[in-house]
Amino acid sequence: MRPANRNNLRAEMTKERIRETFRLMILEMDYNNITITELATRVGIHRKTFYLHYECIDSLFLELEDTIIERANTMMVKGMEQFDTINFETAKHYLITLIETDSLLYKRLFFNESYQIICSHIYDRIIQLMTPHIKQNLSLAEEEAIIVTNFIITGYFEVIRNCQKNYMSISEEKLNRMLLSLINTGIRNI
């Protein structure tokens, strides 16, 4: 193996260790407690090595957001190929499927108060992703589609967040029926 290839492989392995350690830190720490020093120590690298790969901790969060949005987009494209449209049920299904790809991480990001800023960024990006499909499916104007999509996304996550926060034991089936009913009632009243 050439030295350049070996260096590239080593750099990619280090970057992957940084990402995985970062994920583990999210699972156990609040947003403001994650530092480059702690991350570098856990990975077993020097802070300067971290900076070879990332500008700051927020760069890791942005990369994570990009990964989430890429997964959401892939699911939506696949769904559009299967169903040729996105309705409320399929939109909800995509959100549930997205969370299930790494449920511990996503539940922490979406439902822990300290990650609210990250959650807001992801909401905004998912809304941008879904709005054109909602607009087309419901024959809405752009502004109306943004409101409806925002209602679906934030409503879904708020209901789930409140259930978790208050340790409610509502079955997933009942929760899904409630969410769908709330969404449909809200949309009919526009």
Side-chain angles (χ1 to χ4, degrees), residues 32-43:
N32 291 327
N33 295 335
I34 297 176
T35 65
I36 293 170
T37 302
E38 178 68 19
L39 179 62
T41 299
R42 289 183 182 208
V43 173

Side-chain angles (χ1 to χ4, degrees), residues 18 43 70 85 98 108 113 135 153-154 164 167 171:
I18 290 170
V43 173
E70 184 179 313
T85 187
L98 176 65
R108 181 80 172 165
E113 298 280 330
K135 177 183 174 184
I153 303 301
T154 57
Q164 285 199 345
Y167 303 104
S171 73

Side-chain angles (χ1 to χ4, degrees), residues 34-83:
I34 297 176
T35 65
I36 293 170
T37 302
E38 178 68 19
L39 179 62
T41 299
R42 289 183 182 208
V43 173
I45 60 174
H46 194 277
R47 284 174 50 101
K48 289 180 183 179
T49 303
F50 173 87
Y51 289 115
L52 292 174
H53 301 282
Y54 295 98
E55 189 175 304
C56 59
I57 288 291
D58 287 340
S59 299
L60 274 164
F61 277 112
L62 183 57
E63 181 180 84
L64 181 58
E65 288 175 27
D66 289 344
T67 300
I68 292 169
I69 298 306
E70 184 179 313
R71 285 180 183 159
N73 188 47
T74 299
M75 282 184 255
M76 286 181 59
V77 168
K78 186 188 255 185
M80 290 296 288
E81 290 169 357
Q82 288 178 326
F83 304 111

Side-chain angles (χ1 to χ4, degrees), residues 2 5 18 30-31 53 61 65 71-72 80 82 91 97 100 105 116-118 121 130 132 140 149 167 171 188:
R2 290 183 174 164
N5 289 342
I18 290 170
D30 285 344
Y31 175 79
H53 301 282
F61 277 112
E65 288 175 27
R71 285 180 183 159
M80 290 296 288
Q82 288 178 326
T97 304
E100 288 173 351
L105 178 66
Q116 191 60 45
I117 187 81
I118 303 303
H121 292 163
M130 288 183 69
L140 298 172
T149 308
Y167 303 104
S171 73
R188 278 194 303 270

